[in-house]
Amino acid sequence: QQQVRQSPQSLTVWEGETAILNCSYENSAFDYFPWYQQFPGEGPALLIAIRSVSDKKEDGRFTIFFNKREKKLSLHITDSQPGDSATYFCAARNEKITFGAGTKLTIKP
Amino acid sequence: AQTIHQWPVAEIKAVGSPLSLGCTIKGKSSPNLYWYWQATGGTLQQLFYSITVGQVESVVQLNLSASRPKDDQFILSTEKLLLSHSGFYLCAWSSRNQDTQYFGPGTRLLVL
């Protein structure tokens, strides 16, 4: 069964700190990994994505680090802001897309 | 720019009653379309996908059905709602041969 696991389930960091959200997967055939940000009552929005041929993808304060050998990736949010408080979903795709259970991130001012 | 609209925004329905949820994509021709279900605080579960008008594939069985009557429209329905149907229903689209899916604002459903 294709699975995508996220940890921690919830995370609280202080404003200005770096938040690190983890994701791992089982299927070596996954080759595309998008991260989505979801605020309560809204649909998920694509935040940043990486392909398996890369080991790092950066977009402003958001960076994905990808380790293909260990089948792990992480999303780093630097200089965290209260507006970053949301649930973050890691997803993986080969023929279809599979979502993790999400990490609820809270940024304390 | 592409826009995705879902209706209604929210519904409160009785167990055993019928349901119809809609999704419309504007500004994109021949998109792939998807329906997802999300429990409160839960992950995203893909229910159906469609790559063309009149063709819908089921991913999981939840006593729901889907149809694509037009290129830009995707409908989710059931004749008899169950309590377990409560949740957040999301429509998404992607371009052909593209990996990224883009989600709509969702419909909140409460079945009593």
Side-chain angles (χ1 to χ4, degrees):
Chain A
Q1 183 179 0
Q2 298 182 350
Q3 284 191 330
V4 175
R5 292 190 173 90
Q6 289 187 246
S7 64
Q9 185 175 3
S10 63
L11 175 66
T12 300
V13 301
W14 292 102
E15 182 177 358
E17 292 183 336
T18 296
I20 301 175
L21 289 65
N22 300 302
C23 181
S24 64
Y25 62 96
E26 297 179 358
N27 189 342
S28 300
F30 286 141
D31 60 1
Y32 177 69
F33 302 87
W35 284 82
Y36 285 85
Q37 179 188 57
Q38 186 178 29
F39 296 107
E42 299 182 7
L46 178 69
L47 184 64
I48 188 172
I50 193 167
R51 297 196 181 276
S52 59
V53 295
S54 301
D55 56 14
K56 182 181 177 181
K57 180 71 176 293
E58 193 170 354
D59 184 358
R61 297 186 294 109
F62 302 92
T63 303
I64 299 174
F65 293 93
F66 180 67
N67 186 321
K68 188 173 183 176
R69 182 179 60 83
E70 295 186 7
K71 297 180 186 174
K72 292 181 178 179
L73 58 159
S74 60
L75 174 67
H76 291 224
I77 306 174
T78 58
D79 189 23
S80 297
Q81 303 297 310
D84 296 332
S85 296
T87 298
Y88 292 80
F89 290 97
C90 171
R93 181 187 169 93
N94 51 354
E95 296 176 342
K96 63 180 287 266
I97 191 166
T98 301
F99 286 84
T103 293
K104 184 176 181 180
L105 176 65
T106 302
I107 308 300
K108 286 191 172 182
Chain B
Q2 299 83 14
T3 58
I4 179 169
H5 175 60
Q6 290 188 239
W7 73 92
V9 172
E11 281 264 48
I12 299 176
K13 303 278 281 187
V15 170
S17 63
L19 174 76
S20 181
L21 303 180
C23 173
T24 299
I25 315 299
K26 296 300 182 186
K28 181 65 184 178
S29 62
S30 303
N32 294 336
L33 296 175
Y34 311 85
W35 276 113
Y36 285 82
W37 175 80
Q38 184 179 34
T40 301
T43 190
L44 297 148
Q45 173 65 62
Q46 191 176 110
L47 302 176
F48 299 93
Y49 69 91
S50 171
I51 63 172
T52 191
V53 175
Q55 182 178 339
V56 177
E57 300 295 329
S58 174
V59 178
V60 292
Q61 294 296 326
L62 286 179
N63 294 307
L64 296 168
S65 60
S67 64
R68 187 168 178 178
K70 301 178 183 178
D71 185 55
D72 64 352
Q73 195 173 84
F74 208 17
I75 306 295
L76 183 70
S77 60
T78 182
E79 293 185 358
K80 287 187 177 182
L81 279 166
L82 307 173
L83 287 174
S84 58
H85 285 137
S86 293
F88 197 39
Y89 288 85
L90 292 151
C91 180
W93 70 271
S94 69
S95 298
R96 295 290 171 87
N97 302 318
Q98 294 293 316
D99 296 313
T100 303
Q101 293 184 18
Y102 300 93
F103 287 85
T107 294
R108 178 74 58 188
L109 174 66
L110 178 61
V111 182
L112 299 174

